[in-house]
Amino acid sequence: MRGLQQKEEAVEVAFYTGCYRYFKENQKGLLTCKNDCAEEARDLFQDAYLILWDEITSRRIHIRNNCLFRYDRKGDSRCMSATLQTYLMSIIKNKGYERVREEELYVRDPEDPEDPADPSEPEPEISREDIVALAVDSLPKRCQEILTLFYYEQKSLDEILAVRKENISKDGLKSGKSKCMGQLRERILAEFKKYRL
Amino acid sequence: MDNQERIDAYLRHELNEADRKLFEEELESNPSLAKDLALTKSLVKALENRQQKIRKMERWQQRLDAGERAASTTRTLIRRMVIISGIAACVLLGFFSQNSQTGYQLPVFESSDLAYRGQFSDIESIDCLLNEGKYKQALEEINLQEKEYADVIAHLVSAEQLKEEQIYEKELTEEVLYALTWRKINVLLALGKKNEALQILHYYRFINGLYQKDANRLWTGFKSPAL
C-alpha cells in the first residue's frame, strides 16, 4: 500500500501483474461478450484497476491497526472484509454491469464493508484532488472519453465527433458533454460536503 | 454562452483580450463562477493524471503479454521437440528393451496427471520409456534433460535482476526438474542402484511438492528392516 501511495514503480508493476493474473484466473462469468473477449476483458480490468489504484493512492483505502479500511458512501471508515483482489473483482463486476446499463446515473458502490473503524488511529485525509479523480473514475465510459478528448486532448466538438464516429449532431454532443459535467459536478460537490472540504 | 462554456473558452485560450479581461474581473465578484473554474481546473489535472496512469498500465500490459507469448512459444517448442524425440526414442529403442532385474515395482507414470501445470508434456517421452520398462534409456534421457534444465536455471540465477517473465520461467523450470528427479529416483531403484537413489531421496522427501507423500513412503519402506 505504501509503495503504491509513494508511486514506487516496482511495487506498481508487481501489484498490477498480481491483480491481472488473479483476474485472468477468475474472469469466468464476468464478461458479456461471446467471442474474442480479450479486448473487453482487458478494458474492463483496466477501468476497474484504475478505481482501485485511485482509492489506494488517495488513501480512501488505507491500513490502520493492521487492517484494511475503506471509506464508505457516508464517509465513514470501515474495516474491509474482502481482500484487495476480491474487492477488485467486485469493482469489475459492477463496471460490467454499468456498461450494460450505461444510462444508469450512479455506479453501484462495490461491496460495502461491515465493521466500523477502530478510532485509536487517526483517519487519513482525502484531498480535493483525490475526490475529483475518484469522481472521474465513477463516470460512465462515454463521459470519461468525451471529457478526456475535450479537456485533456483539447479537441473541439467537431473533432470529437469525427474521432468518436457517433451518429449524433454537434448539439447532441454539446448537450452530452454538459450532462457529463453536470454529473461530475454533482458527485464532486456531494463528496466535498461529505468530507467537509 | 453559459458559465461552463465561458470557463472552457477561457481555459482553452479562445476568448479575445476584452472578453478574457471581463471574465477575470467577474471571477473576483462571482464566487460561483470562481468555484466552477477551480473545479474545471481540477478536472483537467485529474484527467492528466488518469492518462498517465493509463499509459503506465498499457506499458505493463504489453510487457505481460510479451512475457506470456514468449513463455507459451517456448513451452510449445519444447513440448513438440520432446514428444517427437520421445516417440522416436520409443520406436528405435524398443528393440533393446530391458526389464528390471531388481524386483522393484515402479509406479505407472502419467504425464497427463501433470498436464494442468502446462509444462509437463516435456517429460512425456521419459514416462513412455519408463512404462515400457526401458530404464537405461529413461535414465539417460533424464540425465540429459536434468542438465539442460539446470543450465536454464543457472543462466537465470546469474542475471542481476530477474524480470517478471524470467521469474515465471524459473519457477516452471524448477517444477519440471522436481518431476524429473522423482523419475530418476524410481529408475535408479529399478536398475538396482539403491544407494544412489536413497542419496537423492534423502533430500528429495523434504521438498514440498506433488510427490512428497510418495517420497516419504518410499523412504520409510526402504529404511524398514523388511527391505
Side-chain angles (χ1 to χ4, degrees):
Chain A
M1 298 279 281
R2 200 174 299 122
L4 288 176
Q5 282 156 1
Q6 291 170 357
K7 297 181 182 166
E8 288 172 22
E9 176 95 14
V11 178
E12 288 179 336
V13 175
F15 188 61
Y16 180 87
T17 307
C19 286
Y20 185 70
R21 289 202 172 136
Y22 185 83
F23 165 70
K24 285 257 284 190
E25 282 164 20
N26 300 283
Q27 66 183 15
K28 209 177 163 191
L30 288 174
L31 304 172
T32 52
C33 59
K34 297 273 181 281
N35 306 306
D36 195 17
C37 293
E39 203 171 318
E40 183 192 320
R42 180 169 310 168
D43 201 35
L44 195 60
F45 168 78
Q46 291 192 342
D47 263 7
Y49 184 83
L50 259 179
I51 296 180
L52 178 66
W53 194 0
D54 281 342
E55 289 202 0
I56 293 173
T57 48
S58 69
R59 292 174 171 75
R60 186 166 177 182
I61 292 178
H62 53 277
I63 295 178
R64 277 193 296 146
N65 306 318
N66 294 322
C67 180
L68 273 177
F69 279 86
R70 178 175 174 271
Y71 286 102
D72 65 11
R73 265 182 270 186
K74 292 173 193 160
D76 297 326
S77 176
R78 287 172 181 274
C79 184
M80 291 174 73
S81 49
T83 64
L84 285 179
Q85 284 167 331
T86 318
Y87 176 62
L88 174 68
M89 294 305 282
S90 72
I91 304 176
I92 291 170
K93 204 170 160 187
N94 286 324
K95 272 275 164 195
Y97 203 72
E98 180 200 348
R99 283 192 184 182
V100 176
R101 313 188 330 177
E102 235 202 343
E103 71 279 3
E104 195 176 318
L105 275 181
Y106 286 93
V107 183
R108 291 173 165 222
D109 208 316
E111 210 169 287
D112 271 340
E114 286 151 16
D115 304 333
D118 181 339
S120 60
E121 275 185 39
E123 290 178 9
E125 285 182 2
I126 290 189
S127 71
R128 283 170 167 260
E129 207 175 89
D130 294 330
I131 285 174
V132 178
L134 290 167
V136 173
D137 289 341
S138 77
L139 284 176
K141 187 96 180 150
R142 183 172 178 270
C143 281
Q144 289 172 349
E145 285 172 4
I146 292 174
L147 295 180
T148 302
L149 288 167
F150 188 81
Y151 288 108
Y152 176 72
E153 295 190 17
Q154 296 273 305
K155 290 200 185 305
S156 67
L157 292 178
D158 289 320
E159 287 169 329
I160 296 175
L161 272 180
V163 171
R164 288 185 55 79
K165 291 174 186 144
E166 271 183 322
N167 197 18
I168 52 164
S169 65
K170 192 174 170 182
D171 280 345
L173 178 64
K174 195 172 161 184
S175 128
K177 180 200 157 262
S178 174
K179 276 183 191 161
C180 292
M181 277 305 280
Q183 273 187 50
L184 184 73
R185 189 178 294 113
E186 202 176 309
R187 291 179 194 194
I188 291 172
L189 295 179
E191 290 289 302
F192 281 178
K193 199 173 164 189
K194 195 157 69 184
Y195 295 106
R196 291 175 287 277
L197 291 170
Chain B
M1 229 191 230
D2 67 18
N3 269 355
Q4 189 59 50
E5 284 176 299
R6 290 169 68 210
I7 290 170
D8 293 344
Y10 174 73
L11 289 175
R12 291 158 73 103
H13 309 287
E14 289 168 357
L15 293 179
N16 61 35
E17 187 61 24
D19 286 344
R20 192 178 61 81
K21 255 190 168 169
L22 206 69
F23 180 82
E24 282 172 352
E25 278 168 17
E26 196 182 332
L27 276 177
E28 288 173 20
S29 58
N30 185 346
S32 162
L33 183 67
K35 204 168 149 186
D36 281 349
L37 173 67
L39 197 136
T40 310
K41 280 182 176 173
S42 313
L43 167 64
V44 175
K45 182 90 181 35
L47 290 171
E48 276 172 17
N49 289 337
R50 186 180 164 83
Q51 288 308 308
Q52 273 178 16
K53 284 182 171 172
I54 290 173
R55 276 198 297 273
K56 269 188 182 180
M57 284 198 300
E58 289 299 337
R59 213 170 53 230
W60 300 335
Q61 190 64 50
Q62 275 172 11
R63 257 190 261 167
L64 260 175
D65 291 345
E68 273 176 21
R69 270 198 304 274
S72 159
T73 313
T74 312
R75 277 200 302 272
T76 312
L77 274 175
I78 294 177
R79 196 173 301 140
R80 280 183 192 160
M81 281 167 61
V82 169
I83 290 171
I84 292 167
S85 59
I87 293 167
C90 286
V91 172
L92 289 172
L93 300 175
F95 298 108
F96 310 105
S97 146
Q98 296 168 21
N99 286 314
S100 166
Q101 304 298 313
T102 61
Y104 172 70
Q105 186 64 47
L106 257 79
V108 175
F109 289 100
E110 284 182 50
S111 309
S112 57
D113 291 349
L114 306 152
Y116 71 96
R117 293 172 178 231
Q119 312 308 304
F120 287 87
S121 49
D122 297 353
I123 46 178
E124 224 159 357
S125 66
I126 291 168
D127 287 353
C128 169
L129 292 171
L130 287 174
N131 294 333
E132 287 183 9
K134 299 164 190 170
Y135 303 131
K136 261 193 176 173
Q137 289 85 350
L139 186 60
E140 279 169 19
E141 184 69 19
I142 290 170
N143 286 336
L144 205 72
Q145 287 204 23
E146 253 190 346
K147 194 183 171 317
E148 277 175 24
Y149 285 114
D151 286 347
V152 172
I153 290 182
H155 175 70
L156 288 169
V157 168
S158 66
E160 216 161 78
Q161 198 177 2
L162 291 184
K163 287 181 194 158
E164 187 75 28
E165 59 264 28
Q166 288 175 315
I167 295 171
Y168 182 61
E169 194 188 341
K170 184 172 166 277
E171 283 171 5
L172 290 176
T173 313
E174 281 168 349
E175 282 195 56
V176 179
L177 263 176
Y178 176 79
L180 275 175
T181 309
W182 177 239
R183 282 151 178 77
K184 186 173 184 171
I185 292 167
N186 277 280
V187 82
L188 284 171
L189 288 170
L191 289 169
K193 299 177 177 179
K194 189 178 164 188
N195 286 343
E196 205 179 326
L198 289 182
Q199 258 180 1
I200 304 171
L201 187 61
H202 177 68
Y203 297 103
Y204 190 80
R205 65 201 168 101
F206 294 112
I207 305 172
N208 283 327
L210 191 64
Y211 303 114
Q212 194 175 22
K213 261 188 191 168
D214 291 336
N216 274 321
R217 208 173 297 132
L218 193 61
W219 176 261
T220 318
F222 272 98
K223 287 292 167 187
S224 72
L227 288 161

